[in-house]
Amino acid sequence: MATEQNQPSVTVDAAKAREVAEASREQGWERPSFAKGIYMGEVDFSLVDPMPVPDPEAAAHGAEFLVRLDELLEALDPQIIEREGRIPDEAIAGLRRIGAFGMKIPREYGGLGLSLLDYGRALMKVGAVSPAIGALLSAHQSIGVPEPVKSFGSPEQKQRYLPRCAAGAISAFLLTENDVGSDPARLGTKARLSADGTHYVLDGAKLWTTNGVVAELLVVMAAVQSHEALGDQPASRGGITAFIVQADAPGITVENRNEFMGLRGIENGVTRFRQVKVPVVDRLGAEGSGLKIALSTLNTGRLSIPAMCAGAGKWATKIAREWSTARVQWGHPIGEHQAVANKLARITASTYALEAIFELSASLADAGMKDVRIEAALAKLYSSELTCTIVDDLLQIRGGRGFETADSQRARGERAVPVEQLWRDVRINRIFEGSTEIMHLLIAREAVDAHLQAAGDLAKADATGQEKLKAAVEAGGFYARWLPKLAVGRGTVPTSYLGYGPLARHLRYIERSARRLARQTFVGMARWQAGLEKEQVFLGHIVDIGAELFAMTASIAKTNQLMHDGAEHRFAAEALAGAFCEQARLRCEQHFEQLFNNSTASDDELSRQLLDGDFRWLEEGVRDVSEGTGAWIAPWSEAPQEDRRRPYADGSES
């Protein structure tokens, strides 16, 4: 594999990679977590129902902004972004004018100080119009400079950077590298403390830098080299560290503006650092705390994706309803044919669930009384997967028109409906901010945390026989207390949860299934012990069952709130929640069936044979049409390309 000399490939073994990831986790559980209870078979609905109620004054403030945002979006033509591959300067200027770049920034720093709930509602509206603008705003505020500075910055850093960001100085978050992916232990971008201890020198390159092409401020993750005491800085072992970096600093080059199958207006590129000086005062937190900052930022930052997924679902529901009513086949609107009706029911009920998942997760995060680590991760994972199903169903309902571009429909004199664009745009959500596969592993690690702590050295592959024997005794005590609790619960009592009307039986199913899930997790732990982490298919099903149960709970909690408030559409909402729960229960049972009854063993063997080249004959006749150096991971280019950062509408440079 070819790599550049000043950014060599970093090689680490599995143990080191695990050590880095584990050290960056938030280890304790000081606040209750509903979702964690699902995986332990200890469901406590009082943690989520009633849903936290926002402060009336804050809610009114958020509603006022949403009106201004609606007016701006009404005047926006998203097809211009699709055709030209960029967001018009006047659109960005309009977003600055209404304060959209400061939605999450506290008012004391010039921002709007919106709650996560109202911030997400704003992204929901934006996502239904232009996912590219949604990516711009969320990358800036959810993971860019505002969030980590607000949470981890010094008072001076907050005063220096938050007002700039609120005024519209676009920011970006730079972690991913060409050969790193989701393994931070192999980070290649380096930072060296200067001899006088006044600044760091950054070298390296970052890939897929959303907003990086137009950003004014950057949060950059780099591996600080260990050093002795230098200047005012004490001796340090170094480690992955976060830095606030001015995008126009000498030595920074935007080498490429990447292009993708969707989100054609996204400003995403490759950014190189060559001997870039960063003052010590612009280091975020202590040396070695960068990954913790990144993961903490992502915890709530991930909620931007469920919000935009809900927006996409709402748009899909509208188009599906209108088309299925207007389109007639065999003497009836297509929506009256069962095959289409099945998809319509799934689209509509799933969209209701998407909105409920976001609202519950955001409300819990706003209230601050619960630990929402798993809730936020589940919301991101589940929403991104479910939205792809919704949009795929919509494309199928639209038929050839679903596959046809909006411009082509317009040229034929038809209403231009960009379903194929939405299909392309939402696909990235299963990859953004943690792919589905990585999210499965992340959630699974938290879900089985209590088992790993109880198992102790049983869960360590390198433990001695004596250590494992001692751990077995300690684990036996834990399970002797825990397992009996999983035998019987409220879900086995037919009269439980009667206050929830027709949804009560679904709550009983959730409670029963959570205990069943915990029992199955125990079986997996007992069966594989230290090898459990390698059983990723099993863990994936465990996580997905919990996700379905959480989604059902969110739908019921939202419906119960509407009932309590006497909302006009409360009974229609009850019907949607009931339909969604029926659909989710079927998916749960499929996952339970596949926990131990699957083709994993034969699939593993087949994939090994494929990687060994045993099936090359199957590729006969295929012509390689790819271009480039021949390396799958090519070296970073040394030749500086055109600086593609564009000027603001007022002429100043981004």
Side-chain angles (χ1 to χ4, degrees), residues 32-56:
S33 165
F34 174 79
K36 184 173 178 63
I38 288 178
Y39 291 105
M40 290 302 295
E42 300 168 352
V43 172
D44 183 357
F45 292 113
S46 69
L47 295 176
V48 296
D49 185 35
M51 290 171 60
V53 178
D55 174 71

Side-chain angles (χ1 to χ4, degrees), residues 148-163:
V149 168
K150 182 176 69 174
S151 301
F152 300 98
S154 67
E156 294 76 14
Q157 289 171 336
K158 293 176 183 178
Q159 290 290 346
R160 190 182 317 131
Y161 293 115
L162 292 183

